[in-house]
Amino acid sequence: MDKDLNNFQVCDRDLDDATLSRYLQAEAIAVDTETMGLVLGRDRLCLIQLCDPDGYVTAIRVEVGQTAAPNLKKLLETATITKIFHFARFDVAQFKYTFGIETQPIFCTKIASKLARTYTSSHGLKNLIMELTGVELDKSAQSSDWGNADNLTEAQLSYAANDVRYLVPAREKLISMLKREDRWELAQQCFQCIPVFVSLDINRYNNVFEH
Ligand code: MN
């Protein structure tokens, strides 16, 4: 585990009340998930990572068959707190499908990157965080068994924590770039479309906007 160990906690099934209260004070919360794979409805949600602007990270271990997380729902549906994701469409669909959570409002660093960083085609998290914060993420635990929740390794937990730790500063930089290039309004309109894409994904529609 890295030096931020004391700014990191693991909890089971849901946020505890004290951590919920802490996160409800934040203007924005970074969010990520780890799953058994990328197929919605087949591959279950295993871990949920949250980080506030002070860098306080919580990893929630989800149980097999779990269908509710009331404190997480409260946080993700609170309208005054922006939830920051990298590729929000995937995580927001997981939350809606698994727990019936309607996440809002949303900021997606991948969409923001595609709108702002038109000088590159590299919009993965590692590339984005490297350019905007100078931090090199270690993605070696990305493809690992997240379902073995009681035995997650330190490497896995460290990886999971780092996936949310730099999203708050990345968002600040992206907002500056989007405003500078007069693309901020379009970005916000794109974020507002994410719940529609999530509903289409859950209902297994493909390409309804195509010819
Ligand atoms: Mn991740």
Side-chain angles (χ1 to χ4, degrees):
M1 184 63 70
D2 59 23
K3 61 182 166 50
D4 291 312
L5 179 61
N6 51 9
N7 233 2
F8 175 82
Q9 65 167 347
V10 178
C11 51
D12 288 309
R13 294 183 61 89
D14 200 358
L15 280 174
D16 58 84
D17 291 345
T19 308
L20 173 63
S21 297
R22 176 189 176 122
Y23 284 165
L24 285 174
Q25 308 302 313
E27 178 260 336
I29 295 281
V31 189
D32 186 34
T33 64
E34 305 302 334
T35 63
M36 284 302 291
L38 299 178
V39 180
L40 186 67
R42 183 193 70 181
D43 300 328
R44 72 180 180 89
L45 184 56
C46 300
L47 196 72
I48 301 156
Q49 307 98 276
L50 305 160
C51 183
D52 70 11
D54 295 329
Y56 190 76
V57 176
T58 301
I60 304 168
R61 295 189 288 206
V62 179
E63 270 183 20
V64 175
Q66 185 183 336
T67 57
N71 283 357
L72 179 71
K73 181 178 169 73
K74 166 82 178 159
L75 178 67
L76 295 183
E77 294 185 350
T78 294
T80 52
I81 304 169
T82 298
K83 269 62 71 169
I84 311 166
F85 300 86
H86 189 73
F87 197 53
R89 181 174 172 177
F90 179 80
D91 305 291
V92 170
Q94 287 289 340
F95 292 139
K96 181 166 178 166
Y97 181 85
T98 308
F99 299 134
I101 294 172
E102 303 279 356
T103 305
Q104 60 93 22
I106 296 164
F107 185 103
C108 178
T109 53
K110 191 167 194 121
I111 291 172
S113 177
K114 286 180 175 181
L115 291 173
R117 297 169 68 244
T118 33
Y119 48 82
T120 178
S121 56
S122 300
H123 301 289
L125 184 65
K126 186 181 172 83
N127 193 284
L128 181 70
I129 296 303
M130 177 57 121
E131 181 182 309
L132 297 184
T133 73
V135 173
E136 182 166 17
L137 293 178
D138 176 2
K139 300 296 277 184
S140 56
Q142 183 166 32
S143 301
S144 62
D145 181 9
W146 295 100
N148 192 12
D150 293 338
N151 299 295
L152 292 177
T153 64
E154 287 200 354
Q156 281 179 302
L157 290 171
S158 177
Y159 159 79
N162 281 336
D163 266 5
V164 283
R165 200 163 263 145
Y166 305 101
L167 291 179
V168 171
R171 169 181 172 246
E172 298 302 323
K173 292 252 170 77
L174 286 163
I175 290 174
S176 298
M177 294 172 76
L178 288 163
K179 286 181 174 172
R180 187 191 72 205
E181 302 300 327
D182 198 21
R183 298 168 182 174
W184 174 229
E185 191 179 347
L186 182 59
Q188 290 172 292
Q189 289 167 343
C190 290
F191 301 153
Q192 286 164 10
C193 291
I194 291 169
V196 178
F197 280 85
V198 164
S199 291
L200 290 167
D201 289 345
I202 288 173
N203 290 292
R204 301 186 194 178
Y205 284 102
N206 289 316
N207 304 323
V208 296
F209 293 102
E210 305 300 316
H211 175 65

